[in-house]
Amino acid sequence: MSNIDLSVDICGIKMKNPVIAASGTFGFGREHAGYVDLNRIGGISVKGLTLEPRAGNKPPRVAETPAGMLNSVGLQNPGVRSFIREEIPFLRQYSTAIIANIAGNTTEEYCEMAEILSDADIDAVELNVSCPNVKAGCVAFGNTPQGIAEITSLVRKYCNKPLIVKLTPNVTSIADIAKAAEDAGADALSLINTLLGMAIDIETRRPILANNTGGLSGPAVKPVAVRMVYEVCQTVKIPVIGMGGIFSGKDAVEFMLAGASAVMVGTACLVYPDACIKVCEGIEEYMRRHGFERTADITGKLVLNT
Amino acid sequence: MSNIDLSVDICGIKMKNPVIAASGTFGFGREHAGYVDLNRIGGISVKGLTLEPRAGNKPPRVAETPAGMLNSVGLQNPGVRSFIREEIPFLRQYSTAIIANIAGNTTEEYCEMAEILSDADIDAVELNVSCPNVKAGCVAFGNTPQGIAEITSLVRKYCNKPLIVKLTPNVTSIADIAKAAEDAGADALSLINTLLGMAIDIETRRPILANNTGGLSGPAVKPVAVRMVYEVCQTVKIPVIGMGGIFSGKDAVEFMLAGASAVMVGTACLVYPDACIKVCEGIEEYMRRHGFERTADITGKLVLNT
Amino acid sequence: MSKLLKEEIISVEKATEGIYRMTVASDYISANAEPGQFVNIKCCEGVQTLLRRPVSICSTDRAKGRYDLYFQVKGAGTKILAGKKSGDFIDILGPLGRSFDLDIGYRRIAVVGGGIGIFPLLFLLNESKAVVKRSYLGFRSSGYIVLQEEFRQKSNSLEIATDDGSYGMKGFVTDMLERDILSEEFDMIYACGPTPMLKKVTEIAKKHNVRCQISLEQRMGCGFGACLTCACETRTEEGGSQFVRVCADGPVFNSEDVIFQ
Amino acid sequence: MSKLLKEEIISVEKATEGIYRMTVASDYISANAEPGQFVNIKCCEGVQTLLRRPVSICSTDRAKGRYDLYFQVKGAGTKILAGKKSGDFIDILGPLGRSFDLDIGYRRIAVVGGGIGIFPLLFLLNESKAVVKRSYLGFRSSGYIVLQEEFRQKSNSLEIATDDGSYGMKGFVTDMLERDILSEEFDMIYACGPTPMLKKVTEIAKKHNVRCQISLEQRMGCGFGACLTCACETRTEEGGSQFVRVCADGPVFNSEDVIFQ
Ligand SMILES: Cc1cc2nc3c(=O)[nH]c(=O)nc-3n(C[C@H](O)[C@H](O)[C@H](O)COP(=O)(O)OP(=O)(O)OC[C@H]3O[C@@H](n4cnc5c(N)ncnc54)[C@H](O)[C@@H]3O)c2cc1C
Ligand SMILES: Cc1cc2nc3c(=O)[nH]c(=O)nc-3n(C[C@H](O)[C@H](O)[C@H](O)COP(=O)(O)OP(=O)(O)OC[C@H]3O[C@@H](n4cnc5c(N)ncnc54)[C@H](O)[C@@H]3O)c2cc1C
Ligand SMILES: Cc1cc2nc3c(=O)[nH]c(=O)nc-3n(C[C@H](O)[C@H](O)[C@H](O)COP(=O)(O)O)c2cc1C
Ligand SMILES: Cc1cc2nc3c(=O)[nH]c(=O)nc-3n(C[C@H](O)[C@H](O)[C@H](O)COP(=O)(O)O)c2cc1C
Ligand code: FES
Ligand code: FES
């Protein structure tokens, strides 16, 4: 009866639907697998990987804020090699795209990881150049067109997988940065990473997070994220994956109308383990109601008011 | 019994308490006067003024978002001369500081307004160099250290009132911009203005706002605002007025601990006409409970986690 | 003058599919409200719905000190309202806005309402001293019809149109107005409903040179005139146009003043 | 295995000032929960409270298919929970986390609880097969005491300490443990409560070489192991340290493994 085709092909990453679990909110899929069938999720961007294992920041690492949350996990992860050894075989049991989200302290680390991952059984690499929760490196690259161009073109040389560059919203002109990443060889862009924020416990007069600041995500950031996705999609030709506060199919459709070819679901995956499925069903319901058959029918179909 | 002194003196602006109504959310005080005694409010930053009257943007001009709102009023106002003639006499009936919030299309317009206001019976000028809802000028000045330095130093020459420069959060490094404003002669800084955002009506496939994008305010932005106020206060020596999502005394105390000498209350004034009074009472309650006697006892008293 | 009030809910009942009636206790509002005015409701404490929601006053019972609101469940705010219980208190700002002009000189009047626009018109019929009152109401289909009995009682005649013809006349409520306008010799037409309907009523009134007031809706930030978000474009005396506030300069406007987008 | 469930509330009652008991119907959780485990509750639809709130399972009634939660009203989330009514449904994830080790070899046990930390210990007493069970509970003052009768029934002895001496012993609950530890020859000490208390219990257990398990609290993003926000520092076998997850690797830990900040 239904002839709705949700599949997408984003710079060669083939997915059965456009809903991807966002990095850092889905671990390596093991925990969520207890609640949902991972086969029904378009793709999984795994917890941010570093070259060597990382312990992460001191707790508390999370603070709830109005319609949002701050996190300062600080890239706790077992390292890229352990990921390849321990996690890929688990994830490959499922038919879902595997996206390796990587972060480094230096350009060399990024390149080395990209090289290591080139031999791994993954579908894409996502370059996290915008993690606000670690001191050295990382964040600095994502803040300027020059920085992003440099890291992207270097990693590009070592990376034989589709390369997604993930953008930070903490910048004056995200379109300029997006353009720089595109020109430097990115195959796709994903945005937004978290907004840098702080929450204070007025009784102890200290920041709630042990790390003092953290990254803001969740519904609170959605209007900023939609605006940025729109701006970026007006500027680049490569596919864009939109995220920031998506909790429902309706939220996802906003991003797709603004130009996103696919979406990532982050914070919602923490609150509702089945969020990706619900978002996907919501997109499908919207398409059915409006008579759309392919996701391309909604991507970028926003009509501006004049 | 109470020996709590809420008064503040911000670069010569003397106020009986540190709670100021934020520009654009309190009109010229007339509407709120029907609900609260304006004598109890520290100060009022009036609706953004331009040299000539402005009609503003087409409606809809407001969209609710998770824990926030987008507005795109577009500086509808009767012009600075009409303000002086019609509104100052009304406001001066009350003992509350009057802050004239001004925006121009060109540096010349800013300077002319500052000059006109130098003869007016107001307590301070607030330079809005960050209005996201008008096309020309304005916003451009606030985005770079050079831009803000130029406009601040020029206006400084024409302005014989305390000069507050209001900062936009839509930048990579607000601390750099703050420093540039300080060096160029600002007497105080206020932040944050609204974050640029977009909300889409997925049924009509158009942005909800006729202007397509608008400025995000309200509780959603609070963690970003607190972080920025903290960063700016670590960087400059002049007083900082903090705002962004303040709805309660507790919210205000977060900003003060982060370094703000006073706060502005915006969106809350739309939802609760008596918001400024409630915020003020909440600050006082906090001070009493903790045994603080002066607002200076809390300003900047945040202790970082190490 | 409007006030910030915490008022007790007497009852919340389903009126028809998706539409609820809320009766609220308030000596102040029942004594002071005028037809066309609205209240602005903070549906919940906290941020689930941040801004207030405007709802028209549908009727008042001054003796008992209470008033009725009718609202359609549309999104988060009205959903919360529908879930309120007798005895709950709600945070209300009101009465707000400019009311309809009920000059006693208007002896023959028509009220034209569409969908959720009918509610302020019932209050108007209650208060109007006109001799002949004709009601024309339009709904999407029969399932959406509310307050039929009340409108019938408060006016000399009631006619209903539905988009799908499932009740009354099939078609637009404005067709009925157009049909009657010559014979009825109205002194005033009052209208409230969707913008296309208001536009049509305005045209008809203009063509036949009948006074007409319309009540507009617009997204609102504050509801009491402070934020300038609820703009509506109107003609100035000098022949230009300006943005005025639906919440404070309206929601009721003389139809000839309004510039439709 | 934990599940995402919509469960019916049987009752919500005030237990003492600021503390409520909620009884929830659930065959699944009552059948599968083990002492020390918790549920993670979405207190409301929507964003008023965004993240789930972790609450320990305090007792289960397998026959009737229900379980009890006790919670203190602290902020927005617990306030919403306290306002729930019988018949409401809530969105619950559970049972979650590692439970207490109830090896039958532990014949003489002590439970040491402070404030809202006492709740999982009642469930533990219910399920433990130990021969001698001693309860030591600490509260701020007499007004905060809850579940006294239940703890008395489920253990061989119950002693209460209050900070202000308004009931029982004046002082710390750990003083009572220290006093008895030599004579009682416990095989295992179970503790849950504020961090300073857990730290002290850990020291006492270590000094006297008694096995000890403690249940920790930490701010949580997900509660089921996915986000790594609920970190707790523990010793590794190699003598180093690592961050593990309170929600999935805990909340119950062997006290000797935990590195207190
Ligand atoms: C002066 C006036 C009187 C009104 N009287 C009534 C009435 O008597 N009965 C009734 O059912 N409805 C009435 N409405 C419409 C009612 O205000 C909206 O249906 C309601 O605000 C929707 O809120 P929500 O949270 O359920 O929906 P959502 O769509 O979730 O609301 C999101 C935002 O959009 C705004 N919004 C959505 N629809 C409208 C609208 N039509 N007009 C203005 N703002 C809107 C909301 O206020 C809110 O800020 C009136 C509107 C105005 C302006
Ligand atoms: C494993 C575990 C079991 C618990 N069991 C119980 C119980 O049985 N009874 C009980 O009364 N309380 C228990 N708590 C504490 C309870 O989770 C918090 O009191 C509650 O989350 C506060 O939510 P709130 O919205 O009322 O407060 P708010 O302060 O508004 O909450 C804001 C945020 O901080 C978090 N938070 C605040 N306090 C705590 C805390 N102490 N621990 C973890 N997160 C916190 C909230 O979850 C939320 O994300 C337990 C906590 C944990 C981690
Ligand atoms: C707990 C947590 C951990 C995160 N870790 C990462 C990470 O390791 N790498 C990364 O690129 N983004 C990380 N993010 C950012 C998300 O992938 C996403 O960009 C952001 O949360 C916005 O989407 P959302 O509002 O749907 O959560 C993390 C977010 C959260 C909440
Ligand atoms: C409806 C509306 C109109 C505004 N107009 C102005 C303005 O004219 N000038 C200005 O500097 N800021 C304006 N602002 C921004 C506020 O002054 C304030 O910086 C912002 O709303 C953040 O504070 P809040 O979260 O407390 O609202 C406006 C905000 C709103 C909501
Ligand atoms: S809604 Fe604020 S002025 Fe009308
Ligand atoms: S709370 Fe997410 S891993 Fe523990």
Side-chain angles (χ1 to χ4, degrees):
Chain A
M1 176 213 105
S2 159
N3 44 7
I4 291 178
D5 177 6
L6 285 173
S7 70
V8 290
D9 179 331
I10 308 235
C11 59
I13 317 166
K14 289 181 193 7
M15 295 183 288
K16 57 168 73 85
N17 66 58
V19 182
I20 306 166
S23 176
T25 63
F26 214 79
F28 300 107
R30 290 183 188 271
E31 290 77 18
H32 284 82
Y35 303 95
V36 294
D37 179 1
L38 301 188
N39 291 303
R40 294 180 61 196
I41 297 178
I44 297 172
S45 176
V46 302
K47 175 63 199 164
L49 301 166
T50 49
L51 190 57
E52 303 303 330
R54 268 183 75 102
N57 294 326
K58 275 197 231 167
R61 294 176 174 179
V62 59
E64 185 168 302
T65 64
M69 63 176 275
L70 292 169
N71 90 80
S72 59
V73 171
L75 289 177
Q76 176 176 340
N77 83 93
V80 69
R81 294 187 188 84
S82 165
F83 162 71
I84 293 172
R85 208 171 51 239
E86 311 286 339
E87 306 298 344
I88 294 183
F90 168 79
L91 282 168
R92 267 296 175 242
Q93 297 174 273
Y94 303 94
S95 117
T96 185
I98 305 176
I99 300 172
N101 180 280
I102 63 169
N105 292 314
T106 59
T107 47
E108 289 74 25
E109 282 186 15
Y110 275 103
C111 294
E112 192 174 343
M113 275 189 278
E115 198 166 17
I116 293 172
L117 285 164
S118 289
D119 298 327
D121 184 13
I122 58 168
D123 296 282
V125 168
E126 182 177 46
L127 215 57
N128 176 4
V129 282
S130 50
C131 178
N133 295 322
V134 293
K135 302 249 152 49
C138 193
V139 59
F141 299 115
N143 276 350
T144 59
Q146 299 79 348
I148 203 126
E150 185 195 339
I151 191 90
T152 304
S153 56
L154 271 172
V155 170
R156 175 74 290 174
K157 288 193 201 130
Y158 293 89
C159 180
N160 69 1
K161 308 283 181 187
L163 180 62
I164 306 165
V165 176
K166 184 164 180 178
L167 307 181
T168 172
N170 301 299
V171 294
T172 308
S173 170
I174 197 159
D176 291 349
I177 304 220
K179 190 84 185 67
E182 176 180 47
D183 291 345
D187 297 310
L189 301 174
S190 61
L191 64 147
I192 59 172
N193 208 318
T194 53
L195 280 157
L196 194 57
M198 182 189 265
I200 295 173
D201 180 336
I202 63 170
E203 300 305 319
T204 63
R205 294 196 282 285
R206 289 171 174 274
I208 293 179
L209 300 175
N211 193 48
N212 298 314
T213 57
L216 182 67
S217 63
V221 311
K222 194 180 70 166
V224 174
V226 170
R227 185 265 298 179
M228 289 187 165
V229 165
Y230 178 76
E231 280 182 8
V232 167
C233 291
Q234 295 302 104
T235 311
V236 301
K237 293 195 181 59
I238 52 178
V240 167
I241 302 169
M243 81 193 95
I246 296 176
F247 268 61
S248 68
K250 289 178 182 177
D251 296 331
V253 170
E254 279 196 61
F255 282 88
M256 295 179 75
L257 291 172
S261 303
V263 295
M264 287 181 170
V265 178
T267 304
C269 289
L270 306 185
V271 182
Y272 302 107
D274 59 354
C276 285
I277 312 279
K278 289 288 159 66
V279 167
C280 193
E281 289 171 353
I283 296 172
E284 191 171 355
E285 189 273 324
Y286 175 85
M287 289 173 65
R288 173 163 300 122
R289 194 152 47 79
H290 286 266
F292 296 122
E293 300 191 346
R294 260 162 297 276
T295 55
D297 296 341
I298 47 177
T299 291
K301 290 305 183 308
L302 183 72
V303 180
L304 284 198
N305 298 309
T306 46
Chain B
M1 178 214 104
S2 158
N3 43 6
I4 291 178
D5 178 6
L6 285 172
S7 70
V8 289
D9 179 332
I10 308 232
C11 59
I13 317 167
K14 288 180 193 11
M15 294 183 288
K16 55 168 76 83
N17 66 59
V19 182
I20 306 165
S23 176
T25 63
F26 213 80
F28 300 106
R30 290 183 189 271
E31 290 76 17
H32 283 81
Y35 303 95
V36 293
D37 180 1
L38 300 188
N39 292 302
R40 294 180 61 196
I41 297 178
I44 297 171
S45 176
V46 301
K47 175 64 199 163
L49 302 166
T50 48
L51 190 56
E52 302 303 330
R54 268 185 76 101
N57 293 325
K58 274 197 230 167
R61 294 177 176 180
V62 59
E64 185 169 301
T65 64
M69 63 177 276
L70 292 169
N71 90 81
S72 59
V73 171
L75 289 177
Q76 175 176 342
N77 82 95
V80 67
R81 293 186 189 85
S82 165
F83 161 70
I84 293 173
R85 209 171 49 238
E86 312 285 337
E87 306 298 342
I88 294 184
F90 168 78
L91 281 169
R92 268 296 175 241
Q93 298 175 273
Y94 302 93
S95 116
T96 186
I98 306 176
I99 301 173
N101 180 281
I102 62 169
N105 292 316
T106 59
T107 47
E108 289 73 26
E109 281 186 15
Y110 275 103
C111 294
E112 192 174 343
M113 275 189 277
E115 196 166 17
I116 293 172
L117 284 164
S118 289
D119 297 327
D121 185 11
I122 58 167
D123 296 281
V125 168
E126 183 176 45
L127 215 57
N128 177 3
V129 282
S130 49
C131 178
N133 295 323
V134 293
K135 300 249 154 49
C138 192
V139 59
F141 298 114
N143 276 351
T144 59
Q146 299 78 344
I148 203 125
E150 185 195 338
I151 191 90
T152 304
S153 56
L154 271 171
V155 170
R156 175 74 288 176
K157 287 193 200 133
Y158 293 89
C159 179
N160 68 3
K161 308 282 180 187
L163 180 62
I164 306 165
V165 176
K166 184 164 180 177
L167 307 181
T168 172
N170 301 300
V171 294
T172 309
S173 171
I174 196 159
D176 291 350
I177 303 218
K179 189 83 185 71
E182 177 180 45
D183 291 345
D187 297 308
L189 302 173
S190 61
L191 66 147
I192 59 172
N193 209 319
T194 52
L195 281 157
L196 195 57
M198 183 189 263
I200 295 172
D201 180 337
I202 63 172
E203 300 306 317
T204 63
R205 292 196 283 286
R206 289 173 175 272
I208 293 179
L209 300 176
N211 194 47
N212 297 315
T213 58
L216 181 66
S217 62
V221 311
K222 194 180 68 166
V224 174
V226 170
R227 185 265 298 179
M228 289 187 163
V229 165
Y230 178 76
E231 280 182 8
V232 166
C233 290
Q234 295 302 104
T235 311
V236 301
K237 292 196 181 60
I238 52 178
V240 167
I241 302 169
M243 80 193 96
I246 296 176
F247 268 62
S248 69
K250 290 177 182 177
D251 296 332
V253 170
E254 279 196 62
F255 282 86
M256 295 179 76
L257 291 172
S261 303
V263 295
M264 287 180 169
V265 178
T267 304
C269 289
L270 306 184
V271 182
Y272 302 107
D274 59 354
C276 285
I277 312 278
K278 288 289 158 62
V279 167
C280 192
E281 288 171 353
I283 297 172
E284 191 171 353
E285 189 272 324
Y286 175 84
M287 289 174 66
R288 175 163 298 123
R289 195 153 45 79
H290 285 267
F292 296 123
E293 301 192 344
R294 260 161 296 274
T295 54
D297 296 341
I298 49 177
T299 291
K301 290 305 184 306
L302 182 73
V303 180
L304 283 199
N305 297 308
T306 47
Chain C
M1 214 196 67
S2 103
K3 283 196 181 179
L4 187 56
L5 303 160
K6 288 252 191 268
E7 298 184 331
E8 189 175 350
I9 295 172
I10 294 175
S11 65
V12 183
E13 277 165 38
K14 191 165 165 175
T16 181
E17 202 44 48
I19 298 201
Y20 289 76
R21 178 184 65 229
M22 179 182 279
T23 305
V24 187
S26 176
D27 287 332
Y28 187 77
I29 292 192
S30 60
N32 292 285
E34 292 172 16
Q37 290 192 301
F38 64 95
V39 292
N40 211 5
I41 308 176
K42 181 77 175 108
C43 301
C44 61
E45 278 182 56
V47 302
Q48 172 62 10
T49 56
L50 188 69
L51 302 173
R52 291 173 181 271
R53 300 295 190 257
V55 181
S56 303
I57 297 164
C58 181
S59 71
T60 60
D61 184 333
R62 280 175 193 157
K64 292 195 179 147
R66 47 176 71 174
Y67 61 96
D68 280 357
L69 305 173
Y70 277 76
F71 58 88
Q72 184 177 34
V73 173
K74 217 187 134 188
T78 46
K79 188 175 164 198
I80 292 171
L81 289 185
K84 295 277 181 193
K85 303 267 174 295
S86 162
D88 288 352
F89 277 76
I90 40 169
D91 178 341
I92 281 190
L93 205 60
L96 293 162
R98 239 186 55 171
S99 55
F100 288 108
D101 173 8
L102 297 184
D103 193 299
I104 45 163
Y106 308 148
R107 295 169 57 83
R108 302 181 61 85
I109 65 168
V111 305
V112 185
I116 60 163
I118 71 168
F119 306 129
L121 300 175
L122 184 65
F123 190 12
L124 185 154
L125 288 172
N126 255 326
E127 303 282 307
S128 157
K129 301 275 181 300
V131 183
V132 174
K133 309 176 185 177
R134 307 247 172 256
S135 294
Y136 305 95
L137 305 182
F139 299 95
R140 251 195 291 167
S141 76
S142 64
Y144 293 91
I145 298 174
V146 273
L147 288 170
Q148 186 174 4
E149 255 333 289
E150 289 79 354
F151 271 90
R152 203 184 300 287
Q153 279 172 25
K154 302 289 178 191
S155 49
N156 301 84
S157 66
L158 164 65
E159 280 194 273
I160 290 178
T162 52
D163 294 356
D164 62 0
S166 54
Y167 188 94
M169 201 201 78
K170 179 173 160 72
F172 297 125
V173 63
T174 45
D175 297 342
M176 303 191 293
L177 176 70
E178 205 154 20
R179 180 198 63 203
D180 291 354
I181 193 159
L182 272 178
S183 55
E184 289 288 353
E185 302 190 337
F186 294 121
D187 299 310
M188 174 64 112
I189 300 166
Y190 302 102
C192 183
T195 308
M197 183 199 102
L198 296 181
K199 213 165 155 178
K200 186 75 192 167
V201 171
T202 299
E203 283 165 23
I204 297 170
K206 187 172 181 192
K207 180 166 159 207
H208 296 277
N209 205 17
V210 181
R211 262 190 221 87
C212 177
Q213 287 201 314
I214 57 179
S215 178
L216 301 182
E217 280 190 9
Q218 188 48 273
R219 287 176 188 263
M220 294 183 173
C222 69
F224 58 96
C227 72
L228 309 183
T229 56
C230 60
C232 157
E233 200 168 4
T234 59
R235 279 172 250 279
T236 59
E237 285 172 16
E238 301 81 38
S241 78
Q242 65 185 351
F243 284 121
V244 298
R245 301 162 303 178
V246 170
C247 71
D249 305 310
V252 175
F253 293 93
N254 293 326
S255 65
E256 65 208 20
D257 293 340
V258 174
I259 302 172
F260 291 95
Q261 302 287 328
Chain D
M1 215 194 68
S2 102
K3 283 197 180 178
L4 187 55
L5 303 160
K6 287 252 191 270
E7 298 185 331
E8 189 175 348
I9 295 173
I10 294 175
S11 64
V12 184
E13 277 165 37
K14 191 165 165 175
T16 180
E17 201 45 47
I19 298 202
Y20 289 76
R21 179 184 64 231
M22 179 182 278
T23 304
V24 186
S26 176
D27 287 332
Y28 186 77
I29 290 194
S30 61
N32 292 285
E34 290 172 17
Q37 289 192 303
F38 64 96
V39 293
N40 211 4
I41 309 176
K42 182 75 173 107
C43 302
C44 61
E45 279 182 56
V47 302
Q48 173 63 9
T49 56
L50 187 69
L51 302 173
R52 290 173 182 272
R53 300 294 190 258
V55 181
S56 303
I57 297 164
C58 181
S59 70
T60 60
D61 184 333
R62 280 175 194 157
K64 292 196 180 144
R66 48 175 73 173
Y67 61 96
D68 281 357
L69 305 173
Y70 277 77
F71 59 88
Q72 183 177 35
V73 173
K74 219 189 133 186
T78 47
K79 188 176 162 195
I80 293 171
L81 289 185
K84 295 277 180 194
K85 303 265 174 296
S86 163
D88 288 351
F89 277 76
I90 41 170
D91 178 341
I92 280 189
L93 206 59
L96 293 162
R98 240 187 53 174
S99 55
F100 288 108
D101 173 7
L102 296 185
D103 192 297
I104 44 161
Y106 308 148
R107 296 169 56 81
R108 303 181 60 84
I109 65 167
V111 305
V112 184
I116 60 164
I118 70 168
F119 306 129
L121 300 175
L122 185 66
F123 190 11
L124 183 155
L125 288 172
N126 255 327
E127 303 282 307
S128 158
K129 301 276 183 295
V131 183
V132 174
K133 308 177 185 176
R134 307 246 171 258
S135 294
Y136 304 96
L137 305 181
F139 298 96
R140 250 194 294 164
S141 74
S142 63
Y144 293 91
I145 299 174
V146 273
L147 289 171
Q148 187 174 1
E149 255 334 289
E150 289 78 353
F151 270 90
R152 204 184 300 287
Q153 280 172 25
K154 302 291 178 191
S155 49
N156 301 83
S157 67
L158 163 64
E159 279 193 272
I160 289 178
T162 52
D163 295 355
D164 62 359
S166 54
Y167 189 92
M169 201 201 77
K170 177 172 159 72
F172 296 125
V173 65
T174 45
D175 298 342
M176 303 191 293
L177 177 69
E178 205 155 20
R179 181 198 61 202
D180 292 354
I181 193 159
L182 272 177
S183 54
E184 290 287 353
E185 302 189 339
F186 295 122
D187 299 312
M188 174 63 114
I189 299 167
Y190 302 103
C192 184
T195 308
M197 184 200 98
L198 296 180
K199 213 167 156 178
K200 186 75 193 167
V201 172
T202 299
E203 282 165 23
I204 297 170
K206 187 171 180 195
K207 181 168 159 205
H208 296 278
N209 206 17
V210 181
R211 262 190 221 89
C212 177
Q213 287 201 316
I214 58 179
S215 178
L216 301 181
E217 281 190 9
Q218 187 50 272
R219 288 176 187 263
M220 294 182 171
C222 69
F224 59 96
C227 72
L228 309 184
T229 56
C230 61
C232 157
E233 201 169 4
T234 59
R235 279 171 250 281
T236 58
E237 283 171 20
E238 303 81 36
S241 78
Q242 65 185 350
F243 284 120
V244 298
R245 301 162 302 176
V246 170
C247 73
D249 304 310
V252 174
F253 293 93
N254 293 326
S255 65
E256 65 210 23
D257 293 341
V258 174
I259 302 173
F260 290 96
Q261 304 287 327

